[in-house]
């Protein structure tokens, strides 16, 4: 129902906000939860960085977390075209 969907959206937004610095940059994140699953915020806080790391390895992309920036980060950042 709508109440459950909105709660899940709020939880996903909050989990993304709290883990954003740990997620690799260069991706557009789209979440498509399984039907009937009602994860907690703690579960989402654990799952998002883990899944992001798995995806970046799958696509062989060496990306820095979005929390790092500046010239120093750019100088050491490996580049790879997708």
């Amino acid at each position: 129902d709508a109440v459950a969907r909105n709660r899940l959206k709020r939880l996903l937004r909050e989990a993304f906000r709290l883990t954003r610095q740990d997620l690799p940059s260069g991706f557009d994140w789209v979440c498509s939860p399984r039907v009937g699953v009602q994860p907690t915020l703690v579960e989402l806080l654990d799952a998002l960085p883990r899944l992001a790391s798995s995806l970046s390895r799958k696509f062989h992309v060496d990306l820095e977390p979005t929390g790092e920036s500046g010239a120093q980060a750019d100088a050491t950042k490996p580049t790879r075209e997708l």
Side-chain angles (χ1 to χ4, degrees):
D1 71 323
V3 173
R5 277 193 313 273
N6 288 333
R7 182 177 186 335
L8 181 56
K9 283 194 263 185
R10 285 192 308 273
L11 286 172
L12 282 167
R13 282 188 198 116
E14 183 65 7
F16 179 79
R17 185 185 72 79
L18 293 172
T19 60
R20 188 176 193 170
Q21 70 280 357
D22 299 326
L23 301 176
S25 62
F27 287 96
D28 291 333
W29 298 103
V30 178
C31 296
S32 182
R34 294 184 178 144
V35 175
V37 176
Q38 296 179 352
T40 65
L41 180 58
V42 172
E43 291 170 330
L44 291 172
L45 290 172
D46 175 58
L48 284 177
R50 186 172 31 85
L51 292 171
S53 175
S54 174
L55 283 174
S56 67
R57 282 192 310 271
K58 180 177 180 176
F59 291 106
H60 306 292
V61 178
D62 297 323
L63 298 173
E64 296 177 354
T66 56
E68 297 180 26
S69 62
Q72 192 175 37
D74 290 337
T76 61
K77 183 169 142 180
T79 59
R80 181 169 182 151
E81 297 283 328
L82 293 179

